[in-house]
Amino acid sequence: MRYLPLSESNRRDMLNVIGAGSVDELFRDLPKAALASARFTLPTTASEIEVERTLSTMAARNLNCGAAPSFLGAGNYRHHTPASMDYIIQRGEFLTAYTPYQPEISQGTLQAIFEFQTQVALITGMEIANASMYDGATACAEGVAMAARLTKRTSALVSGNVHPHYRDVTATCMKFLDVAVECLAPDPTGVEDLIGRISDEHACVVVQTPGFFGHLKDYTALAEACHAAGALLVVCVTEPVALGLITPPGHMGADIVVGEGQSLAGPMSFGGPGVGLFATREKFLRQMPGRLAGETTDEDGRRGWVLTLSTREQHIRREKATSNICTNSGLIALAFSTHMTLLGEAGFTRLAQLNHAMAVTLAERVEKLPGVKLLPNAFFNEFALRLPKPAAGVVEALAARKILGGVPASRFYPTYPELANVLLLTVTETNTAADIDALVAALKEVLS
Amino acid sequence: MTMPTTASGNRGLQLEQGLIFELNTPGMTAVDLPPAPKVAERLGGLKNTKAIGLPGLSEPDVVRHYTRLSQKNYSIDSGFYPLGSCTMKHNPRLNEKMARLPGFADIHPFQPLSTVQGALELIDTCAQWLKELTGMTAVAMSPAAGAHGELCGLMCIKSAHEANGQGHRKIVLVPESAHGTNPATAALCGYTVEAIPANAEGRVDVAALKAHLRPQDGKMEIAAVMITNPNTCGLFERDCIAIAEAVHAAGAYFYMDGANYNAIVARLRIADLGVDAMHINLHKTFSTPHGGGGPGAGPTVLSAKLAPFAPVPMVVTAGSGFDVEEHAGHGEARQSYGRMKGYHGQFGVFVRAVAYMMAMGVDGLKQASGDAVLNANYLLARLSAELTPAFDGPCMHEAVFDDRFLKGTGVSTLDIAKALIDEGVHPPTMYFPLVVHGALLMEPTETESKATLDQFVNSLLSLARKAKSGTAEAMFKASPQLAPRRRLDETKAARKPVLRWLPPAGNHEGNGDTKREAAE
């Protein structure tokens, strides 16, 4: 087996040193009955070319988004990633390192985390950010748990414009912590009244920008209402490219910003792994979950970085930790950070402008189709449409024409008949004018 | 020999590198984009009018920046990484290549299911391997990492207790030697934690465990017992079947922490040990890369009693193809406790793990656990010449030493670890498990050659002799001297946290700058 370097003679020599007759003898503490009954119906070792054949065949059974005009979003976005980004994250020194517990020989990872923390703080308009969470949905649950700890309150109000997976994951996790999560009905038209519902029992209100149905909203008044009631405002961001163009949550008064960095961090990969973003105010630092890299100096006075404030974390604080997270999304955070570095201020804002302009181009055409209503007035690169017929069937009919024409809201809300005709469409810089022509033409056919 | 000083601060191949924010050329970018079509913006007055504060760099400068950073890292590609309980084994590049196939990488979680049958087959293939290897009834694929898998297991357990009218059970028993994630997870699940002591031979004190399992004031309050097996001392819990029986007799569930599953994979089925739930770190046992901290994946195998409560999504077979149950409360997810992760789990990690499983085969996996245990016992045997093993062998996949061999030398476990850095190896895990004084926990893994182990042994034996000689304390305290940095001041980092770059005072442009005062 090519991954195993010991030869048979090595094994014999080593057993001699140990004073054991066989490798099996080293497993003598395992229950004999369990050893005897172990039978496995599984394939035996395979060569590289065989594995590659099998998996390539499996992969080819999927319609990949590069092979069809694709307008899918709903929290997961197809963007172009520069070749140098994937090259950098495949360098073995990044790919095959562990968590930087020995800082003298982990300065590369630590400095990259410090830069990532700064970038996340800058684009969200917040003071500090951590080294990453698993994904946006789990970051949202952690944000609500943190708000509950900070306010010592046990309920949360979640907008109907929050991604349903973020809402579901938060509701699941909070159920086990006895925090009541009040989820408002899905809000495709963007008319819900949150301010009128805030009470002084809420730890936080959770909203999203851009919203799940595409709406852009000013949350400044909501933040003020939250603070007046002693609650915190948690803002989710599922499409961070938007932050190159729109007012960041921190400028609207957000206390905690959580999000998903996948859209800037590489392939969609069927939804995972992504990278959870988590930013907040400096004054909430001690209740923050997750790792943090901090600046310091070494014995020669040279600048360097270490993991710090780990008294918040499970390996020190055990059951009193702010979270149980250990492994996070280090490599995807590096991908995110590398891409942000490649873009810079100029590239990031231009990328966002291009996305928005492409989306407006599509919106202007589809809203003219008979029976179609564009739901958000203001949006970034994604918007909900109300169609004259069920969106799930429309998407299937488009797929039959080799167009991945958006995500039907019924995929998330199968029990809401009023959402049956709602379709989410996303346009990014990966779409061409020809893609948009193809989608509009196909939609005309399918809807007629 | 003293280190020459240089004008640049560089030392040959050790190149100093500033922060990207210090390399800023305003307006520069490494990404050229096609022009945007001219449209009337529809941002509803929410256009950001302020600068963000991101630096501008060209592509060559970015590539050089990260290349230089990478060269300040130790990695499994570059050398021996015997970090106990972390399983730093070789990461085959085939796995990376497979994860980047467009049919796996460039697919969206909400494409029509008819267009992603290959992806569902991949998830199902991974699930079938895990179920067959463990003999368990079901596997929840969505947990994102080990600690997340623990949470999945305990959520299933709590849901099962509530369904059975046992919701009053609020205590989880965890051995003192457990990873910190175990008690932290129990707390996140709304449980309180009671610690179980270890016996002198490094295993769970079964008598103490049974005493905890007795009803208190006529009420049974124990919900579950979480035991890492092989445990964090690198020993197999010989009594695990008796423990499982006692736990079940008390109406509680047996959670086995699978962080060390790589030591026993393809040798026995954990179902035969009476386990109710166990997470499997794909980034350890199945060799997906650690990536400087993640991502991982922590699928959780479940017994028949817990399977009905598993989280969504679940891939299910439908006719000749696959379907996904995405909503709790329906079909096979009738009793599911809900969703704990977005989308379909860590799909890209599943692809890498399946590539590894297929390459190894069941025979290769058995050889791997054998070689991992052989390598650890070889270290235990050879290092015992100068070091003091914490427990009698044989060990499983890792060997733990205490610091008795350093007694009276003035040299600590930390000093030994830092001196090993100058020897060119990554130090073992230090001061864990907590039950071993001054612990050095070494996990060589199966992907190291005898020559690599011999070189490590020679380095460590030589350091131990130096420490005992009583003449080298200053050298130890000063180490490492040859790494990109010497010892870093962690107290300073924690006392006055600097967690982000801030522009020099006086420059007040960008999202973050107005917060400068608050952050200082």
Side-chain angles (χ1 to χ4, degrees), chain B residues 146-434:
Chain B
H148 209 219
E150 293 172 25
L151 189 60
C152 172
L154 286 197
M155 284 177 168
C156 286
I157 286 168
K158 199 170 188 187
S159 303
H161 278 312
E162 280 168 6
N164 298 329
Q166 296 290 310
H168 59 274
R169 293 173 182 250
K170 294 287 183 206
I171 297 170
V172 171
L173 303 181
V174 178
E176 285 171 340
S177 59
H179 294 114
T181 50
N182 288 181
T185 299
L188 272 189
C189 212
Y191 285 127
T192 54
V193 177
E194 285 183 13
I196 303 296
N199 61 22
E201 57 171 28
R203 294 183 170 87
V204 171
D205 185 329
V206 180
L209 174 74
K210 285 184 174 166
H212 271 85
L213 284 169
R214 285 193 204 105
Q216 306 289 324
D217 304 325
K219 266 178 82 180
M220 189 60 215
E221 302 220 38
I222 310 297
V225 176
M226 297 179 91
I227 290 178
T228 307
N229 197 17
N231 67 24
T232 58
C233 299
L235 303 170
F236 193 84
E237 294 287 355
R238 283 188 210 119
D239 298 318
C240 61
I241 293 178
I243 290 170
E245 284 167 0
V247 169
H248 292 154
Y253 293 97
F254 180 23
Y255 186 91
M256 189 162 124
D257 182 322
N260 296 333
Y261 177 60
N262 58 307
I264 54 174
V265 62
R267 293 197 170 255
L268 52 65
R269 296 178 303 190
I270 59 118
D272 294 338
L273 305 178
V275 171
D276 291 302
M278 180 182 85
H279 74 265
I280 299 170
N281 306 74
L282 297 186
H283 49 292
K284 292 179 174 179
T285 303
F286 297 106
S287 191
T288 73
H290 286 78
T300 303
V301 290
L302 300 166
S303 64
K305 285 181 288 183
L306 295 181
F309 306 99
V312 288
M314 299 171 183
V315 173
V316 293
T317 50
S320 60
F322 297 96
D323 199 353
V324 185
E325 190 55 75
E326 293 186 291
H327 302 281
H330 303 272
E332 293 197 27
R334 253 181 348 273
Q335 290 180 276
S336 165
Y337 67 70
R339 173 180 284 278
M340 68 185 308
K341 167 89 178 70
Y343 318 117
H344 303 281
Q346 304 284 65
F347 180 79
V349 181
F350 304 157
V351 178
R352 290 170 174 87
V354 168
Y356 175 80
M357 291 167 179
M358 286 178 168
M360 295 297 280
V362 67
D363 50 336
L365 291 174
K366 186 176 183 188
Q367 185 72 64
S369 54
D371 284 355
V373 169
L374 178 63
N375 278 354
N377 277 285
Y378 183 69
L379 290 187
L380 182 63
R382 286 210 56 200
L383 291 171
S384 294
E386 295 287 350
L387 277 66
T388 41
F391 305 105
D392 292 337
C395 62
M396 297 302 288
H397 63 302
E398 52 194 354
V400 60
F401 296 87
D402 58 29
D403 59 1
R404 280 174 296 158
F405 76 104
L406 295 172
K407 198 167 180 197
T409 64
V411 175
S412 68
T413 294
L414 179 73
D415 300 331
I416 293 281
K418 297 302 183 191
L420 273 171
I421 289 176
D422 281 340
E423 290 285 332
V425 294
H426 194 286
T429 295
M430 313 172 296
Y431 302 103
F432 183 85
L434 306 176

